[in-house]
Amino acid sequence: MTILFYLNDVEEGGETAFPVANNSTLDYQTMMEKDLVDLYRKCEESPLKVSPAKGKAVIWYNHFVDDANGWLGPLDEFTFHGGCPVKNGVKWIANFWVKTTDHKIKDLKKMQKFYKASTEKQPKMSKEEL
């Protein structure tokens, strides 16, 4: 899973484009022939564009869910994306990737351990200990 955070407002441009979103099929040859992967020149042709704005976040799953185990499945190639050129101003973003493995039980145990550690009350330190 990817979470993309926009950290500032952009005066013009800088969208995040998903050039194969909403397609019924994914054909790499057509993508290459039409040069859809060149978002610098083809951004406007993308069927899905997200405009940057300070405080906005976009989230998407990079993989399908495997019906057999309810966990990480094959890559969702329709999530291919990229940044369009900033025409005026600057753009700052931050990405957060939530990574799992093929081992559902191990992943869940790690998540539970992390959650427990992050929510436990930590003893306060005195000024001298800092």
Side-chain angles (χ1 to χ4, degrees), residues 36-48:
L36 295 177
V37 295
D38 184 358
L39 291 176
Y40 188 81
R41 292 183 181 85
K42 300 283 186 165
C43 181
E44 297 304 318
E45 296 178 25
S46 290
L48 176 61

Side-chain angles (χ1 to χ4, degrees), residues 106-120:
K106 287 181 183 178
D107 288 343
L108 289 172
K109 285 182 180 179
K110 285 180 185 176
M111 290 177 198
Q112 289 169 340
K113 183 179 177 182
F114 175 78
Y115 175 77
K116 183 178 178 187
S118 67
T119 58
E120 287 179 350

Side-chain angles (χ1 to χ4, degrees), residues 53-70:
K54 183 178 182 177
K56 184 188 283 186
V58 183
I59 183 171
W60 64 89
Y61 291 94
N62 304 52
H63 289 262
F64 293 103
V65 174
D66 185 320
D67 290 333
N69 65 19

Side-chain angles (χ1 to χ4, degrees), residues 65-114:
V65 174
D66 185 320
D67 290 333
N69 65 19
W71 205 239
L72 187 64
L75 179 67
D76 182 356
E77 296 169 338
F78 290 97
T79 63
F80 174 79
H81 64 283
C84 298
V86 174
K87 297 175 183 175
N88 195 8
V90 295
K91 176 175 131 179
W92 286 90
I93 61 167
N95 273 321
F96 183 73
W97 292 288
V98 179
K99 184 185 178 308
T100 60
T101 67
D102 293 333
H103 306 287
K104 180 178 182 179
I105 300 302
K106 287 181 183 178
D107 288 343
L108 289 172
K109 285 182 180 179
K110 285 180 185 176
M111 290 177 198
Q112 289 169 340
K113 183 179 177 182
F114 175 78

